[in-house]
Amino acid sequence: MSETQEFRVERDSLGEMRIPAGAYWGVNTARALENFSISRRQISVYPDFIVAYAQVKQAAARANLEIGVLDQERSWLIDRACQDIIDGKLHEEFVVGVIQGGAGTSTNMNVNEVIANRALELAGREFGDYEFLSPNDHVNRSQSTNDTYPSAVKVALVHATERLIDEFTLLQNAFRVKGSEFKHILKIGRTQLQDAVPMTLGQEFSGFSTTIGEDIQRLRDVLPLLLELNLGATAIGTGITAEASYASAVMRQLRKITGYNDLQTAHDLIEATSDTGVFMSLSSVIKRTAMKLSKICNDLRLLSSGPQAGLGEINLPARQAGSSIMPGKVNPVIPEAVNQVAFVIAGADVTVSMASEAGQLQLNAFEPVMLHTLMQNSAWLRRAARTLRVNCIDGITANEELLASRVSSSVGVVTALTPYIGYSEASKLAKEALNTKSTIADLVVERGLLSREEVTSILSPERLSGIQAVTSAIPIITQAQATALEDSLDRADLRDFS
């Protein structure tokens, strides 16, 4: 800082510190800045969290007024300051690092100090006039870091998860649109990277859409777990320094502020203060979602490989030159970027698990790294999904002629004929087709096994792709035996059984 910069002096139990005169934060934040210059990422990088913390503090101010432990003037000033933060103001004042010791105390005090000094400003008073309105005695009344921090984390994660769901819903629809666009295009399916049986390209993309839909539901399933808070627990869950009526009052106020009507107070506040299982649950769901999306991206890269020596079934939009040495090369950069996001999320899930396990006795000190990890995972996955949709999925095209030629020459279609000619005969035809480069259809007709009309019907796109019922069962008894059996059942009055 420049020697000519103006400062104010603030004091805490450790002594005095000089604070930049215009800073809304104070001495506790200043000490955190000295102690935790590690991540070089301020908590303000997660605006959902800043807004959620301001909502918690606003609810506390209103509840404290309601139960009579905070006067109307101070409650109103704190309320107004919180609303400014909720509206997006002063976010640059939340400067402590995302990685910090103290179970989030530095963050809680950064929030308390910004709210206090903004409230003092609204009252026409000087920053640091804590005799009139204190970060601890007034903004933090009836509270502790240990109940406000995890509550703000959970509310922030609800915000973030809802936005993630919204983005994945758009991605799901993008795949569904492509599924409809490609529904008439027949192709060869593959298992273990070997030719299998026919399907449509539309079915493949519709399957991607279904996968995304399943993950959306799993994200929705975890939301109710995030809505159980330990507000009112204060230090360890006993509610020390808070009136008995505070917990219900602050929860009622927070429901009004956030619009989350299902928010509820945990039935066991001591357990809820030490438990971080919900963060592992959310992390696991986000990892699952990322891994499944990464698998889809693997498929897209493989299906578009080439363009001459690969599968080349689809074309991804060309987004940028792919090589500094090979002219004309274009790489699948968008799916590759999404893959990398998934790799980060997978590793981060381990971080959340270890941080959750490492909690001891009545408090988990490692919630800051859980907050950072979950907020980053949610944000990166949301942005990755949007990037994939806008820069890739919407512009995918199919190489229809190539796909058609592969289906017509594929021995895999013999599977559809197996119920009519038998597995053994079908195996012989498959081998002959590969050796002679003949088509299965021609060989079946040449052998007199089926007529051309029958083969054409059985090998129609609708039947090959399963859109239309493909086969009937292979008879395993003679017709005479079947008739005799039916007559026997009739005589026994067991027609329904047949």
Side-chain angles (χ1 to χ4, degrees):
M1 295 180 182
S2 169
E3 294 181 0
T4 60
Q5 187 172 354
E6 294 183 2
F7 295 91
R8 67 178 189 268
V9 176
E10 291 194 12
R11 299 169 182 81
D12 64 3
S13 60
L14 300 181
E16 294 184 348
M17 289 196 75
R18 294 198 304 173
I19 310 298
Y24 286 81
W25 44 267
V27 61
N28 290 280
T29 302
R31 293 203 186 279
L33 291 175
E34 284 188 348
N35 292 330
F36 308 123
S37 180
I38 299 171
S39 66
R40 302 297 173 94
R41 298 185 70 182
Q42 301 175 347
I43 57 172
S44 57
V45 299
Y46 302 124
D48 281 340
F49 179 56
I50 302 304
V51 169
Y53 223 134
Q55 290 174 322
V56 168
K57 293 294 179 178
Q58 188 178 53
R62 294 179 183 182
N64 284 327
L65 175 63
E66 178 185 329
I67 65 176
V69 298
L70 190 63
D71 64 89
Q72 187 166 2
E73 181 183 12
R74 290 183 176 86
S75 174
W76 181 84
L77 289 169
I78 294 170
D79 196 319
R80 277 283 309 279
C82 289
Q83 190 60 50
D84 282 347
I85 297 166
I86 293 168
D87 291 340
K89 300 175 183 177
L90 303 178
H91 282 210
E92 68 281 0
E93 297 294 325
F94 297 94
V95 295
V96 297
V98 293
I99 301 300
Q100 55 188 257
T105 297
S106 296
T107 294
N108 185 40
M109 287 309 303
N110 192 170
V111 173
N112 288 335
E113 288 170 346
V114 171
I115 292 171
N117 282 305
R118 174 55 179 156
L120 288 168
E121 185 177 48
L122 291 169
R125 293 175 176 268
E126 296 292 326
F127 285 6
D129 185 5
Y130 299 148
E131 291 294 325
F132 175 73
L133 197 152
S134 164
N136 293 86
D137 295 333
H138 302 117
V139 180
N140 202 58
R141 185 65 185 264
S142 307
Q143 305 153 63
S144 164
T145 296
N146 301 347
D147 64 341
T148 60
Y149 187 91
S151 294
V153 170
K154 289 181 179 180
V155 172
L157 289 172
V158 173
H159 292 335
T161 303
E162 287 184 334
R163 292 222 305 277
L164 180 59
I165 288 171
D166 289 343
E167 192 58 62
F168 263 71
T169 300
L170 294 174
L171 181 61
Q172 177 192 21
N173 187 62
F175 278 118
R176 184 187 295 117
V177 168
K178 285 296 170 182
S180 178
E181 180 183 338
F182 298 151
K183 66 181 179 181
H184 65 287
I185 303 174
L186 206 61
K187 60 161 284 181
I188 296 299
R190 296 178 182 84
T191 57
Q192 295 163 273
L193 294 180
Q194 303 300 302
D195 295 350
V197 297
M199 64 186 298
T200 68
L201 189 60
Q203 288 173 319
E204 196 161 29
F205 274 77
S206 293
F208 296 155
S209 177
T210 299
T211 285
I212 299 298
E214 291 175 351
D215 291 323
I216 289 170
Q217 187 55 53
R218 298 293 80 75
L219 288 165
R220 289 194 177 115
D221 289 344
V222 81
L223 284 174
L225 304 178
L226 292 167
L227 295 172
E228 182 182 275
L229 310 182
N230 71 328
L231 270 183
T234 65
I236 65 169
T238 61
I240 191 170
T241 74
E243 297 291 328
S245 57
Y246 171 78
S248 60
V250 72
M251 190 60 64
R252 185 168 56 253
Q253 295 294 345
L254 190 58
R255 289 191 196 106
K256 293 178 183 177
I257 292 167
T258 62
Y260 296 142
N261 295 324
D262 293 332
L263 283 170
Q264 58 181 315
T265 304
H267 72 279
D268 186 334
L269 290 177
I270 289 179
E271 187 277 339
T273 302
S274 63
D275 178 55
T276 55
V278 64
F279 300 136
M280 285 195 291
S281 295
L282 178 59
S283 181
S284 177
V285 172
I286 291 176
K287 184 189 75 171
R288 166 200 158 116
T289 302
M291 292 300 99
K292 291 176 68 179
L293 186 61
S294 185
K295 189 272 181 188
I296 291 173
C297 287
N298 293 341
D299 288 352
L300 294 175
R301 291 191 294 113
L302 191 57
L303 291 172
S304 65
S305 60
Q308 293 174 299
L311 296 185
E313 295 187 357
I314 61 174
N315 306 300
L316 305 185
R319 303 306 306 182
Q320 62 188 59
S323 174
S324 62
I325 188 174
M326 293 174 281
K329 192 172 189 293
V330 178
N331 294 326
V333 294
I334 303 303
E336 287 172 350
V338 177
N339 286 137
Q340 292 175 78
V341 169
F343 305 156
V344 171
I345 289 173
D349 181 58
V350 177
T351 298
V352 173
S353 297
M354 293 181 68
S356 183
E357 181 275 335
Q360 297 166 320
L361 303 178
Q362 278 67 62
L363 183 68
N364 189 307
F366 307 111
E367 288 185 7
V369 75
M370 288 188 254
L371 160 75
H372 165 57
T373 298
L374 289 168
M375 292 300 293
Q376 176 179 278
N377 285 358
S378 178
W380 282 25
L381 187 56
R382 184 184 74 248
R383 294 168 193 154
R386 185 182 187 281
T387 296
L388 183 64
R389 172 174 58 87
V390 173
N391 294 330
C392 184
I393 306 304
D394 288 346
I396 290 176
T397 58
N399 291 322
E400 296 190 44
E401 290 185 7
L402 176 64
L403 291 170
S405 68
R406 285 177 175 169
V407 171
S408 66
S409 61
S410 171
V411 299
V413 299
V414 77
T415 303
L417 297 169
T418 301
Y420 303 95
I421 65 176
Y423 185 90
S424 178
E425 191 65 33
S427 297
K428 295 175 185 177
L429 289 177
K431 184 175 181 180
E432 184 177 348
L434 287 172
N435 290 334
T436 64
K437 306 302 180 184
S438 300
T439 69
I440 290 293
D442 289 343
L443 290 175
V444 170
V445 174
E446 289 172 8
R447 293 281 186 89
L449 299 173
L450 293 168
S451 69
R452 178 67 66 178
E453 290 74 16
E454 289 173 323
V455 172
T456 300
S457 175
I458 294 169
L459 299 185
S460 69
E462 292 78 15
R463 286 196 169 196
L464 286 177
S465 62
I467 296 173
Q468 178 181 332
V470 179
T471 66
S472 58
I474 301 173
I476 57 174
I477 59 175
T478 66
Q479 186 59 44
Q481 290 172 319
T483 301
L485 177 61
E486 183 175 357
D487 290 344
S488 174
L489 291 174
D490 284 344
R491 285 192 299 273
D493 198 24
L494 293 172
R495 181 179 298 275
D496 289 342
F497 177 75
S498 68

